[in-house]
């Protein structure tokens, strides 16, 4: 269980009446969190009473009140809610408790990093020292096996690969630009697919973005030069000729260096089919709410976001196909409470799903939940350029794509069939649905990851 009480003595915890007041979910006006609450100093909450509040909705409400207390520097309320959450949400509990524990840790870290609720600084320092996220460094083989455990990434791989294979049918030169957070783990399957074409495999030029400014998991324990050498050898074993190129990029410049290098490569290599495969990486490009970046970036016109500017530049290259796969959530709100609500109501999914494929206490489960915890901490505890997890929903990305000169492509029944076959290898809770022309991965009916494909209009 997380223990935040060592360095700072807590005030008497909230009594049951106080918890009931906190957890009212109606829209009636409530007292200011900085004001005088009638339950302060009342009866201590018993373990039995605390257990009655151990539901996802109650824990979400308590987290929201804890966030508000931190932001308003209400130390008394913050410490009391901290005591309650610390007792009802152990980090080794059920999926809702582990989810809540991760958000609690992120909020305590926020108090330390933003300087809000200064009385919790010592608590945060202690928590950071004891509960630092130890992200695993994967070998290429371990990462490939790890990704195969869940369709979270495999869904996008399967959908994009099917669309790419159809788009380059019969073309002898294919230039694939892989913008991915999973270090080219999609590529072996795509190479296999292209190697088995009836007309024979194409020559493949694979360009990757050497993203260096975010330490987002999963982390690879080798350089991209080593990874590229392995991929080239793998392609050779499938009788596919391939060239591997790494372009250093930084999301804060909206991958400007990537676009310029691609433009140069196009001048050198005419006749290539340019495929841009975007797998859960575009949301690292800062969006409109990062005012500090928008005000210091010399771009024109200034009203366009860096995401829109990148897509416009991408469209100018005349790509044969662009695939965009990402998580269907919105983490762009300026205030932490709205981000907390959105993240809590989306990130319960990986905690719920992991119980179906990894046993409690397993090493791989620790790696998996540490990665989710990193995302939660970045969304909640960080601000400005450090907050890189800025997801947008499918509809917003579709608006951006259409506004910058792309039109959507419907996934064929063959592509949908490939995705469904892949999902059959996983737990029954995973599903797929068509969303207009696109595909959506679901968990127990809830949207998880979208897959879209785009052509120049």
């Amino acid at each position: 269980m997380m223990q935040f009480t060592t360095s700072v003595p807590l005030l008497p915890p909230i009594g049951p009446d106080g918890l009931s007041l906190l957890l009212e979910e109606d829209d009636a006006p409530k007292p200011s969190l900085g004001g005088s609450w009638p339950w302060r100093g009342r009866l201590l909450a018993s373990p039995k009473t605390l257990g009655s509040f151990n539901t996802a909705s109650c824990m979400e409400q308590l987290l929201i009140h804890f966030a508000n207390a931190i932001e308003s520097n209400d130390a008394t309320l913050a410490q009391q809610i901290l005591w309650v959450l610390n007792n009802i949400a152990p980090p080794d509990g059920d999926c809702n408790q582990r989810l809540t524990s991760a958000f609690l840790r992120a909020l305590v870290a926020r108090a330390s990093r933003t300087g809000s609720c200064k009385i919790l600084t010592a608590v945060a320092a202690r928590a950071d020292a004891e509960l630092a996220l130890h992200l695993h460094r994967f070998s290429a083989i371990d990462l490939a096996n790890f990704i195969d455990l869940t369709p979270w990434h495999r869904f996008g791989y399967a959908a994009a690969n099917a669309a790419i294979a159809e788009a380059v049918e019969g073309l002898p030169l294919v230039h694939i630009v892989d913008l991915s957070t999973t270090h080219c783990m999609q590529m072996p399957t795509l190479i296999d697919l292209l190697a088995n074409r009836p007309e024979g495999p194409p020559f493949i030029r694979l360009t990757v973005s050497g993203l260096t400014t975010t330490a987002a998991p999963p982390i690879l324990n080798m350089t991209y030069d080593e990874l590229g050498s392995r991929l080239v050898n793998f392609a050779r074993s499938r009788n596919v000729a391939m060239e591997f190129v790494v372009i250093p990029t930084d999301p804060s410049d909206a991958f400007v260096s990537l676009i310029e290098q691609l433009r140069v490569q196009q001048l050198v290599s005419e006749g290539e089919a340019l495929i841009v495969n975007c797998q859960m990486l575009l949301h690292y490009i800062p969006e409109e709410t990062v005012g500090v970046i928008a005000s210091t970036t010399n771009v024109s016109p200034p009203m366009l976001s860096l995401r829109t500017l990148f897509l416009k530049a991408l469209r100018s290259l005349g790509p044969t196909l662009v695939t965009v796969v990402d998580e269907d959530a919105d983490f762009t709100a300026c205030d932490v409470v709205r981000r907390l609500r959105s993240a809590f109501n989306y990130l319960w999914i990986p905690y719920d799903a992991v119980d179906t494929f990894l046993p409690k206490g397993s090493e791989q489960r620790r790696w998996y939940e540490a990665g989710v915890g990193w995302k939660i901490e970045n969304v909640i505890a960080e601000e400005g350029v450090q907050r890189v997890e800025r997801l947008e929903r499918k509809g917003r990305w579709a608006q951006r794509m259409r506004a910058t000169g792309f039109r959507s492509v419907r996934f064929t029944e063959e592509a949908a069939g490939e995705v469904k076959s892949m999902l059959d290898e996983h737990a029954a809770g995973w599903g797929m649905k068509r969303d207009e022309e696109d595909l959506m991965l679901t968990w127990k009916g809830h949207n998880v990851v979208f897959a879209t494909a785009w052509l120049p209009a």
Side-chain angles (χ1 to χ4, degrees), residues 20-320:
S20 298
L21 282 170
L22 273 175
L23 298 173
E24 287 177 350
E25 295 184 294
D26 62 296
D27 295 325
K30 297 179 176 65
S32 166
L33 285 171
S36 177
W37 282 73
W39 43 263
R40 281 188 168 155
R42 286 195 184 183
L43 181 69
L44 300 184
S46 68
K48 183 177 179 180
T49 301
L50 291 174
S52 67
F53 293 99
N54 189 14
T55 66
S57 60
C58 289
M59 287 188 280
E60 179 189 5
Q61 287 297 104
L62 284 169
L63 286 169
I64 289 169
H65 287 300
F66 185 47
N68 277 321
I70 289 174
E71 296 303 287
S72 61
N73 197 25
D74 188 338
T76 302
L77 181 57
Q79 289 186 89
Q80 290 181 323
I81 300 175
L82 176 62
W83 182 90
V84 174
L85 284 169
N86 207 27
N87 280 277
I88 66 174
D92 58 351
D94 63 27
C95 59
N96 289 328
Q97 291 171 323
R98 301 196 310 276
L99 172 69
T100 301
S101 177
F103 274 90
L104 179 59
R105 180 190 184 282
L107 285 167
V108 172
R110 178 180 178 83
S112 173
R113 296 173 197 177
T114 63
S116 55
C117 205
K118 291 181 173 57
I119 198 169
L120 291 182
T121 299
V123 176
R126 174 85 178 192
D128 279 346
E130 294 182 352
L131 300 170
L133 290 173
H134 299 292
L135 297 176
H136 181 67
R137 301 184 70 86
F138 290 91
S139 70
I141 293 175
D142 283 346
L143 181 55
N145 292 333
F146 185 74
I147 286 172
D148 281 347
L149 292 172
T150 167
W152 202 280
H153 291 287
R154 292 188 73 200
F155 166 81
Y157 293 177
N161 284 349
I164 292 169
E166 291 169 6
V168 302
E169 186 175 347
L171 301 179
L173 301 174
V174 178
H175 185 180
I176 301 168
V177 180
D178 187 42
L179 303 181
S180 165
T181 58
T182 53
H183 314 291
C184 300
M185 291 299 108
Q186 175 183 350
M187 291 301 112
T189 307
L190 180 57
I191 291 168
D192 265 337
L193 195 59
L194 297 179
N196 294 320
R197 296 193 317 183
E199 68 272 30
F203 174 85
I204 298 175
R205 184 196 306 274
L206 177 59
T207 296
V208 300
S209 159
L211 194 64
T212 58
T213 58
T214 61
I219 300 173
L220 198 62
N221 71 350
M222 67 175 64
T223 66
Y224 266 25
D225 288 336
E226 293 175 278
L227 178 66
S229 178
R230 293 193 181 196
L231 283 171
V232 169
N233 289 335
F234 173 82
R236 186 180 298 121
S237 73
R238 300 299 191 270
N239 297 316
V240 177
M242 190 175 86
E243 179 184 355
F244 184 86
V245 180
V246 181
I247 299 178
T249 54
D250 186 322
S252 66
D253 70 1
F255 300 103
V256 169
S257 56
L258 173 69
I259 293 293
E260 291 309 311
Q261 287 293 326
L262 291 177
R263 210 179 297 279
V264 170
Q265 288 184 15
Q266 277 189 319
L267 295 175
V268 174
S269 305
E270 283 190 39
E272 285 185 334
L274 177 61
I275 304 295
V276 184
N277 179 57
C278 306
Q279 291 276 343
M280 301 192 186
L281 189 65
L282 292 190
H283 71 260
Y284 287 113
I285 298 175
E287 40 73 60
E288 291 86 339
T289 64
V290 193
V292 63
I293 296 177
S295 64
T296 59
T297 303
N298 296 319
V299 294
S300 179
M303 294 305 293
L304 289 179
S305 74
L306 294 180
R307 296 183 179 189
T308 299
L309 287 170
F310 172 74
L311 295 178
K312 284 174 67 71
L314 188 61
R315 172 63 183 85
S316 72
L317 298 176
T320 303

Side-chain angles (χ1 to χ4, degrees), residues 328-399:
D328 193 40
D330 184 358
F331 294 169
T332 61
C334 291
D335 65 283
V336 68
V337 170
R338 280 199 294 161
R339 291 204 305 274
L340 190 156
R341 286 185 184 275
S342 181
F344 191 90
N345 285 283
Y346 177 73
L347 291 173
W348 68 271
I349 295 171
Y351 282 96
D352 189 48
V354 73
D355 290 338
T356 67
F357 65 90
L358 288 175
K360 187 174 182 179
S362 74
E363 190 174 41
Q364 287 183 318
R365 181 151 158 173
R366 287 196 296 273
W367 302 344
Y368 179 89
E369 294 196 353
V372 182
W374 184 93
K375 185 187 292 284
I376 291 171
E377 189 164 311
N378 189 263
V379 171
I380 300 300
E382 303 289 3
E383 292 294 351
V385 293
Q386 284 72 41
R387 180 159 62 84
V388 297
E389 284 289 342
R390 294 172 178 267
L391 292 170
E392 290 185 306
R393 291 195 179 277
K394 180 178 81 75
R396 181 63 179 130
W397 280 112
Q399 289 175 352

